[in-house]
Amino acid sequence: MRIADYSVTKAVLDRHGFTFKKSFGQNFLTDTNILQKIVDTAEIDKSVNVIEIGPGIGALTEFLAENAAEVMAFEIDDRLIPILADTLRDFDNVQVVNQDILKADLQTQIKAFKNPDLPIKIVANLPYYITTPILMHLIESKIPFSEFVVMMQKEVADRISAEPNTKAYGSLSIAVQYYMTAKVAFIVPRTVFVPAPNVDSAILKMVRREQPLVEVKDEDFLFRVSKASFVHRRKTLWNNLTNHFGKSEEIKSQLEKALSQAGLAPSVRGEALGLEDFARLADALQEAGL
Ligand code: SAM
């Protein structure tokens, strides 16, 4: 029997008198086939260390611990710490860290792996209310992980992995795809969780690129420009850029110069631009003095 078997999950919850906290995004997985598929998608074996975010009562942690060298799991909810000590008592390769992942000093924490030189993968069933902040925090944390295999709301997974000229494409696709390749591995129905969330989920596999997809002078400026270009999706690039930078004659002439240098028509929409276009645009805007 596994922690994720429905009867075991229910017994654990009853034994500890646990009640779900919606504000922590607590939807626990009760499907062992899906857990095996997550481990297979992440290609976890004894040559990798895993960081997990939000172990809950340990459904995914159990599968990770069996397959990985070591698991470090960050859980914000104090009430789950004694429960995890109970459910994971047979494993000597799991460390549960009672911390908010967004506040954890990951550079220091990962030194606590027994073998800190092994490659790190991040595997999780994420708390949906902070999916994007968690992804950006980890990507920007500079910890040397090679892959993310995480469950999230299907709609967010679609946005992250979207291609230009699709409805789902936007600044989130650009922010993640700059650093990582992103592909939906499989869809997970809402019925396999307790309690069931009111959206379907997807497993997204993201692999870190050896270097960012495009070369740009100022990364923060690139992300600012891409965000500004999608503020009003139905409007042209020109409209969005003048809304963001200003509408004075001087600014308009700087914008015209930059667009022409980047080879982009003012009438184009942000959703038609790929990362290379945005990189060229950002560099040209800066050169024009914006
Ligand atoms: N991994 C378990 C599973 O698959 O059954 C639970 C997944 S549940 C969707 C999300 C988990 O993340 C919960 O255990 C919740 O308490 C935890 N969590 C929420 N916010 C967190 C944060 N900021 N840092 C660490 N853990 C968090």
Side-chain angles (χ1 to χ4, degrees), residues 55 101 217 266 275:
I101 188 73
K217 291 201 184 95
L275 245 166

Side-chain angles (χ1 to χ4, degrees), residues 40-268:
D40 293 344
T41 302
E43 298 170 282
I44 301 299
D45 58 31
K46 293 288 171 189
S47 69
V48 297
N49 286 334
V50 173
I51 293 179
E52 186 190 2
I53 300 126
I57 63 167
L60 174 58
T61 326
E62 178 181 40
F63 276 75
L64 295 171
E66 281 170 359
N67 289 280
E70 261 186 90
V71 183
M72 189 177 288
F74 291 83
E75 175 54 63
I76 196 172
D77 189 345
D78 311 346
R79 301 171 309 151
L80 287 167
I81 306 307
I83 303 184
L84 287 161
D86 171 18
T87 57
L88 300 173
R89 62 186 176 279
D90 292 340
F91 294 100
D92 61 3
N93 62 341
V94 179
Q95 298 181 50
V96 174
V97 185
N98 185 196
Q99 273 186 39
D100 177 344
I101 188 73
L102 294 178
K103 297 195 180 135
D105 174 0
L106 292 168
Q107 294 275 19
T108 307
Q109 288 290 348
I110 59 173
K111 293 188 189 134
F113 276 124
K114 283 178 211 141
N115 186 348
D117 296 328
L118 292 182
I120 297 174
K121 295 188 179 183
I122 299 178
V123 186
N125 170 16
L126 291 175
Y128 294 175
Y129 73 108
I130 44 169
T131 297
T132 313
I134 290 178
L135 289 185
M136 296 323 291
H137 177 70
L138 290 167
I139 290 175
E140 287 162 7
S141 71
K142 311 281 180 232
I143 56 166
F145 68 89
S146 57
E147 266 181 42
F148 257 133
V149 174
V150 286
M151 172 116 69
M152 60 181 69
Q153 216 174 308
K154 179 179 175 300
E155 184 248 326
V156 179
D158 286 341
R159 278 169 46 211
I160 291 175
S161 56
E163 301 283 334
N165 288 313
T166 60
K167 251 194 187 161
Y169 183 65
S171 51
L172 184 59
S173 332
I174 289 166
V176 175
Q177 290 178 30
Y178 177 73
Y179 300 105
M180 330 262 303
T181 62
K183 202 165 177 283
V184 172
F186 59 97
I187 309 295
V188 180
R190 60 192 82 182
T191 47
V192 300
F193 300 89
V194 281
N198 43 24
V199 290
D200 286 330
S201 302
I203 295 290
L204 189 69
K205 177 166 179 162
M206 291 165 276
V207 180
R208 197 195 280 273
R209 300 181 193 280
E210 274 183 20
Q211 50 203 24
L213 183 61
V214 292
E215 242 182 80
V216 68
K217 291 201 184 95
D218 181 342
E219 288 176 0
D220 291 340
F221 190 69
L222 165 71
F223 299 135
R224 227 179 94 199
V225 169
S226 75
K227 259 194 194 149
S229 305
F230 287 101
V231 167
H232 300 287
R233 295 189 68 90
R234 306 304 310 153
K235 289 196 174 166
T236 61
L237 187 60
W238 177 258
N239 269 314
N240 276 317
L241 291 179
T242 49
N243 278 339
H244 182 76
F245 288 105
K247 295 180 174 143
S248 71
E249 287 313 312
E250 190 195 342
I251 288 177
K252 280 186 185 165
S253 109
Q254 286 169 305
L255 283 174
E256 265 167 21
K257 196 170 146 206
L259 284 171
S260 131
Q261 192 185 324
L264 296 170
S267 58
V268 76

